[in-house]
Amino acid sequence: MSARASRGSTAVNATVVTSQKVHEGRADEYQHWQERTNQAAREFEGFVGAEVYPPGAGEPNEWVTVFRFSAMDYLTAWLDSDVRHALLDEARGLFEGSPTQEVLQGGSPARQLAPEVVTAVISHEVKPGCEQGFLNWQEKTLREQEKAPGFMGSELFEPVAGVQSNWVVVFRFETRAYLDDWLASDVRTTLLEEGSKYFTSYDVRKVGSSFSGWFRFDHGEDRSAPPNWKQAMAVLLALYPTVMVLNLTVGYGLEKLDIREYIGLFLSNVLSVSALTWLLMPTVNRLLAFWLVPARVRTRRTQVLGIALVVFCYAVFIGVFGLITGQIF
């Protein structure tokens, strides 16, 4: 089943969002365990990314993890694997009670957002036979949400047969303050009273998240994202050939059409940013993951190899475009 989105098309992917309360004073142990769990998940086919979010204000000791796979079969293979069950058995002493999880199929592609953006994940246990009433209630709720300050969008995920029985709503606000205002509002309180006839229970989790679009690696610790100099080298690797190709093709065409330079530059920027965000940067991230993902850079040799590979690609691109433009000599 696919997600029902408020905007845009539905992507084919599968995500599991897990919330777990860690015992007081055991956060360091949990983080080391989570790093090993993330590494284990990377070895499974279809793995796209893992994100870790530390406790926010008002959620003491509650950590949220997000695992993304390219298809539901790949995700369920990870969830049902002996490797994952062994890791969970090992970590039972770290948690207060059992972790909770929601499995989401489909959803809109990730996009780059401001770091203040916060996401709410709400799971509903819908009463049998009340599905259509619940959907109608959700549509009414969305119309009210759209009037709320700071609201950025919402997606509704249907149950996944044999994997996830609850209906899950994911929505974003510009800041945690805007989200908290909506959650505590009289409008939402009235809507919940009305909706209670359709579901028996619901659970709310807040995730402080920018859900970045270019570097979708582990989040939550400074060391979990690529350092700025690596990000700059990776972006340059994709940006230079993009700009050159556009200059030699689109730029030449716009010049022939006698389009004003400032308009032509704007159109070229739109094309280059689009190509980087949805095509080239995801490709570069996958190819250079061994060097960009901090957890994978375990030796100096890997560090040097990554730098050498990027510099070699720079040289190749410069040589190729030098030959194409006839300016190599």
Side-chain angles (χ1 to χ4, degrees):
M1 299 182 186
S2 60
R4 298 169 183 265
S6 59
R7 297 179 180 83
S9 59
T10 300
V12 179
N13 56 68
T15 303
V16 59
V17 180
T18 303
S19 175
Q20 44 212 355
K21 287 189 176 180
V22 177
H23 282 299
E24 187 78 31
R26 305 195 69 176
D28 287 344
E29 293 177 69
Y30 162 74
Q31 290 179 71
H32 287 122
W33 173 85
Q34 189 65 59
E35 287 176 6
R36 291 193 292 113
T37 301
N38 294 353
Q39 185 60 45
R42 291 186 186 102
E43 304 302 321
F44 279 71
E45 187 174 2
F47 176 82
V48 174
E51 299 156 15
V52 182
Y53 300 98
E59 295 92 31
N61 305 327
E62 186 167 11
W63 292 72
V64 176
T65 59
V66 179
F67 285 87
R68 306 177 192 277
F69 284 77
S70 58
M72 183 57 65
D73 288 347
Y74 294 139
L75 175 59
T76 54
W78 157 246
L79 292 177
D80 297 336
S81 68
D82 292 339
V83 172
R84 178 171 177 270
H85 285 303
L87 285 163
L88 289 174
D89 288 340
E90 176 187 331
R92 291 196 191 281
L94 297 176
F95 304 139
E96 297 179 9
S98 299
T100 60
Q101 70 178 34
E102 278 75 47
V103 175
L104 316 177
Q105 180 167 285
S108 301
R111 57 195 177 95
Q112 194 163 8
L113 302 171
E116 296 83 7
V117 170
V118 64
T119 302
V121 180
I122 303 184
S123 176
H124 302 79
E125 186 177 344
V126 177
K127 298 176 182 178
C130 293
E131 290 80 7
Q132 190 55 53
F134 174 77
L135 288 173
N136 294 339
W137 174 77
Q138 275 294 336
E139 290 290 338
K140 181 177 179 179
T141 300
L142 176 59
R143 289 195 295 271
E144 294 298 329
Q145 272 186 316
E146 289 174 337
K147 302 174 187 177
F151 178 71
M152 298 183 68
S154 173
E155 294 184 62
L156 174 62
F157 295 86
E158 300 176 1
V160 181
V163 179
Q164 167 71 34
S165 61
N166 287 0
W167 294 70
V168 180
V169 181
V170 179
F171 52 82
R172 293 190 181 103
F173 277 79
E174 291 177 4
T175 66
R176 184 173 290 271
Y178 281 136
L179 172 62
D180 289 341
D181 286 346
W182 162 251
L183 292 177
S185 67
D186 293 338
V187 172
R188 182 169 182 272
T189 299
T190 301
L191 285 166
L192 285 175
E193 291 175 357
E194 179 183 331
S196 62
K197 68 182 76 168
Y198 305 119
F199 54 83
T200 58
S201 64
Y202 72 95
D203 182 56
V204 181
R205 274 181 297 285
K206 306 172 195 176
V207 183
S209 163
S210 62
F211 288 104
S212 61
W214 283 8
F215 293 96
R216 283 171 41 182
F217 301 124
D218 298 345
H219 291 68
E221 301 178 53
D222 291 339
R223 63 183 177 180
S224 62
N228 290 338
W229 64 273
K230 284 190 179 182
Q231 294 188 29
M233 288 183 71
V235 171
L236 179 59
L237 181 63
L239 181 62
Y240 173 65
T242 301
V243 172
M244 285 300 300
V245 169
L246 288 175
N247 283 343
L248 294 172
T249 56
V250 177
Y252 179 77
L254 293 175
E255 185 178 342
K256 286 293 185 181
L257 293 173
D258 198 28
I259 293 188
R260 295 182 181 275
E261 183 178 356
Y262 62 91
I263 296 178
L265 181 60
F266 173 77
L267 294 175
S268 295
N269 283 340
V270 168
L271 291 173
S272 63
V273 169
S274 299
L276 283 171
T277 301
W278 288 292
L279 177 62
L280 296 176
M281 284 309 302
T283 301
V284 169
N285 287 340
R286 284 195 299 271
L287 295 177
L288 295 179
F290 75 94
W291 176 67
L292 285 172
V293 180
R296 301 192 191 184
V297 185
R298 302 183 183 278
T299 65
R300 182 183 296 273
R301 181 175 179 275
T302 301
Q303 192 78 277
V304 173
L305 179 62
I307 295 172
L309 178 59
V310 174
V311 172
F312 173 76
C313 291
Y314 290 163
V316 169
F317 286 141
I318 291 172
V320 168
F321 289 115
L323 289 172
I324 291 174
T325 59
Q327 299 176 17
I328 193 67
F329 299 112

